[in-house]
Structure formats: structure tokens, C-alpha cells
Amino acid sequence: MGHEILTVKLCELDARFARLHRRIRQSETAGHPQLQQAMRVLRQEHDKTALALQNRLRHSRTGMAAILANCYGEIAQSVQTATDALRQQALDSGDPEAAAEEKIFLAEYALDFVLQGADRALLLAMEAIDAQYAGQEGDSKSL
């Protein structure tokens, strides 16, 4: 079947979630300088993987890639707009403790959004596998 790529992507997802879990735990116990260094490294990694994803979409031969690339750009812009607004709100409040609590709240919901995205990816994967089964059944009926 053509869904072996989904297995590969699941392995990537497992590794990324394990790394996410490990990094959050390390961040909770790290000193301030170590945390700032880890954040710099993560920002660089994020920029690199985001660029790689954009390039893969841009160079893909399927017509769906352009639609996905456009959506990805819109989502990235929305996240940046929200980040800027939240940063400004934190600056305006003048209360560093309240700003830290708001960032924890934001991180909590960002993780909730990741889980929602993972569920959406699962549904899409299941629909793709179902479509392959339906195609195979159609092929066997035409024989």
C-alpha cells in the first residue's frame, strides 16, 4: 500500500514529541543562561525546519502543494500577529509576574492546539487509508 509514508511520519512525530517532552522538562530545571541558549538553538531549528517545509511545498509537483503553501503562510502570519500582540500586551501590563503567567497560559493552549492538529492529522491519515481501500475494492470489482 502507498501509506508507508504515514508510518515514517509517525516515527518522526514520535521523535519530535519525545524531544518536546524532554526539552520542556529540561527547561523547568535549567538555569536562566542555559534556558536562553536552548531558546536560541530552538529558534534556529524552527526557522530551518520551517524553511525546509516551505521549500518542499514550493517544489512539490502536486497541485495541492500550492494550496497548502498558501495556508501555511497564512497560519505563520497569524501566529506572528498573535505573538506580537501578546508581547505588546505583556509590555503594556508592566507586571513581569502576570506576563509570565500569560506566557504559561499561551504555552498550555499552544500544546492543546498541537494535540488538536495531531488529531486532525490522524483523521486525514485514516481517510487516506480508507480511500486506498476503496480504490482497491473498486479495482477488484472491475476484474
Side-chain angles (χ1 to χ4, degrees):
M1 291 208 151
H3 51 79
E4 291 85 9
I5 187 69
L6 299 177
T7 301
V8 171
K9 287 295 177 182
L10 283 174
C11 289
E12 287 179 27
L13 186 62
D14 283 344
R16 298 285 293 270
F17 272 122
R19 189 169 60 214
L20 169 76
H21 190 263
R22 187 175 58 252
R23 282 178 160 174
I24 288 174
R25 286 203 179 268
Q26 289 172 343
S27 296
E28 291 173 335
T29 60
H32 193 234
Q34 294 87 359
L35 180 60
Q36 289 182 324
Q37 175 61 26
M39 289 168 48
R40 278 191 293 275
V41 168
L42 184 56
R43 282 187 186 103
Q44 290 172 347
E45 289 175 6
H46 174 269
D47 292 346
K48 184 178 173 182
T49 57
L51 183 60
L53 178 59
Q54 288 172 340
N55 286 334
R56 282 197 326 262
L57 283 171
R58 194 172 306 131
H59 295 98
S60 177
R61 295 181 194 160
T62 178
M64 292 180 69
I67 295 168
L68 289 175
N70 186 46
C71 289
Y72 181 81
E74 290 175 11
I75 291 167
Q77 182 59 47
S78 293
V79 169
Q80 186 60 51
T81 300
T83 300
D84 292 344
L86 292 167
R87 186 173 290 132
Q88 188 59 49
Q89 182 178 341
L91 288 172
D92 292 345
S93 78
D95 181 0
E97 192 171 310
E101 286 298 319
E102 288 174 359
K103 287 186 178 201
I104 290 171
F105 177 80
L106 177 61
E108 176 188 354
Y109 275 91
L111 290 169
D112 287 339
F113 296 153
V114 167
L115 294 174
Q116 191 71 17
D119 286 342
R120 170 57 70 181
L122 171 60
L123 181 58
L124 290 169
M126 293 170 86
E127 289 172 351
I129 293 167
D130 183 60
Q132 285 187 328
Y133 284 138
Q136 287 176 345
E137 290 171 3
D139 288 346
S140 64
K141 288 180 183 178
S142 64
L143 293 176

